[in-house]
Amino acid sequence: MPEVVSIGPLQLQGQLIALLLACVFGFWLMRRVLRQWNQAELEVPEGAEVPNDARVAVKGLDDLILNGVLIVFFTWRLGGLLTQPSLLWESPMKLLLTAGSKMEIVVGIVLAYIYLSYQVRKHGIAWRVLLDMLAIGAASAVFLYAALTPVFGLPTLLPWGIGVEGTVSRFHPHHAYLAILLLPLLVWQQLWTARSTTVLGSGKLLKDTLFYGGAAGMVASYFALSEPTAVYLTLEQLMNLLMLIIGMNLPILSHTTGRRELIDMSQNDSKTQIQQEQQNQERAKSPASKEGYVDKKLDGPNRPST
């Protein structure tokens, strides 16, 4: 992806276009998983008694996630208006070329969290489903953004090293290493969610994504060109280490029973109830004399002693 992309009279940053494409890709994969989950929801028989906790409300969840992402994006892009509101009427085109700082990103994340918290309570959506879906979208977006945005790492003499045109020096393609390491995670997420109806909402997607993503980022960080902090680790390595720790210690939620298992359980329970009703009817039809029948050999005065 070039540094500047010209679209007619507009000139946009290549990183911005890569970020937009990454968000679209992550949103598409999340929506794909949601459609599969909703399709499994429609396959539930009408007469099957399934607990309310198993029927997770996921309809409209993709729109809520999209709104949250847009809140973060526009807060990051338009955060400069809070300090320089004159840009809106003096040079509005500058807003497309400049981006906010890390503070605007933090503010956008806080606003998105407030919005999602309100919508989760309003629509009765389980947090575990939302976090699993965010894990799918975040991993997909990071993968595509790393694949499209070149990042120069440490110097190398390997043939696949990259460099600036016209120079002899070559550097490790840090972005390519990260994208290659994240590719198995994406394949695992899509294949597992397509085959299993018990994974979404259990927290295992979030747990394994944090653990594997932190490990992949840690491996790729050893080829990155960055300065270590006071604890002899770079900021990227500290973030990856935090993801590893959270992924190892995050428990899987106890609710792991899928719809199909619950349907089978409900059908088995209904069969047991039918058999029990038939036995009660047969007992009711039996003669009343048999109810008062007493075996003289066993219950009479000449019953054998024990």
Side-chain angles (χ1 to χ4, degrees):
M1 181 68 67
E3 295 183 359
V4 179
V5 178
S6 300
I7 304 177
L10 296 178
Q11 291 185 350
L12 302 177
Q13 293 179 351
Q15 292 183 353
L16 177 60
I17 296 179
L19 179 61
L20 292 176
L21 293 177
C23 292
V24 172
F25 181 66
F27 179 75
W28 175 72
L29 289 182
M30 281 194 305
R31 199 165 192 176
R32 179 175 177 271
V33 174
L34 278 175
R35 287 180 179 178
Q36 294 174 354
W37 184 258
N38 291 332
Q39 184 66 28
E41 178 85 13
L42 296 176
E43 293 177 358
V44 177
E46 295 181 357
E49 296 180 359
V50 181
N52 293 330
D53 191 26
R55 295 186 173 226
V56 184
V58 295
K59 295 181 180 179
L61 182 59
D62 50 350
D63 294 334
L64 298 182
I65 295 176
L66 177 61
N67 294 337
V69 173
L70 291 178
I71 290 174
V72 177
F73 177 77
F74 284 112
T75 305
W76 170 59
R77 296 298 301 180
L78 304 178
L81 292 176
L82 298 177
T83 56
Q84 296 180 353
S86 60
L87 292 175
L88 187 61
W89 57 83
E90 291 181 356
S91 56
M93 296 299 298
K94 190 176 180 180
L95 295 175
L96 299 176
L97 300 176
T98 59
S101 61
K102 295 181 180 179
M103 181 58 65
E104 279 79 9
I105 297 178
V106 174
V107 173
I109 293 175
V110 172
L111 294 177
Y113 173 76
I114 296 174
Y115 167 78
L116 291 176
S117 300
Y118 172 75
Q119 294 297 329
V120 162
R121 291 185 178 182
K122 180 179 178 181
H123 299 283
I125 300 174
W127 269 105
R128 56 179 179 266
V129 181
L130 177 61
L131 293 176
D132 281 347
M133 295 305 302
L134 288 176
I136 296 175
S140 306
V142 172
F143 162 76
L144 189 60
Y145 183 79
L148 296 178
T149 308
V151 178
F152 296 93
L154 296 174
T156 182
L157 298 176
L158 295 174
W160 57 78
I162 59 175
V164 182
E165 185 178 357
T167 61
V168 181
S169 301
R170 291 292 180 267
F171 303 91
H172 281 287
H174 172 256
H175 65 291
Y177 294 161
L178 182 59
I180 293 173
L181 291 172
L182 289 178
L183 183 58
L185 177 62
L186 268 66
V187 176
W188 170 77
Q189 287 179 343
Q190 296 301 314
L191 291 180
W192 196 20
T193 53
R195 294 180 180 180
S196 176
T197 59
T198 63
V199 58
L200 188 61
S202 65
K204 187 169 178 59
L205 272 173
L206 177 63
K207 175 183 176 66
D208 293 346
T209 300
L210 287 174
F211 179 79
Y212 185 88
M218 184 65 74
V219 173
S221 66
Y222 288 107
F223 302 95
L225 185 60
S226 55
E227 296 181 357
T229 59
V231 292
Y232 302 102
L233 294 175
T234 63
L235 292 177
E236 181 182 358
Q237 290 175 341
L238 289 175
M239 292 180 61
N240 292 322
L241 182 61
L242 180 61
M243 291 172 60
L244 275 170
I245 295 174
I246 296 176
M248 287 189 296
N249 297 303
L250 188 68
I252 299 176
L253 300 179
S254 58
H255 176 72
T256 57
T257 305
R259 289 188 182 85
R260 295 178 182 175
E261 296 178 1
L262 291 170
I263 292 169
D264 295 338
M265 293 170 57
S266 63
Q267 289 178 353
N268 293 333
D269 292 341
S270 61
K271 291 179 181 179
T272 305
Q273 292 177 358
I274 293 173
Q275 293 177 358
Q276 186 66 30
E277 291 177 358
Q278 292 177 354
Q279 292 177 2
N280 294 334
Q281 291 177 359
E282 291 177 357
R283 291 177 181 176
K285 292 180 180 178
S286 61
S289 60
K290 293 184 178 181
E291 296 179 358
Y293 175 76
V294 177
D295 192 348
K296 295 180 180 181
K297 294 181 179 180
L298 298 177
D299 297 333
N302 298 326
R303 65 179 181 273
S305 61
T306 57

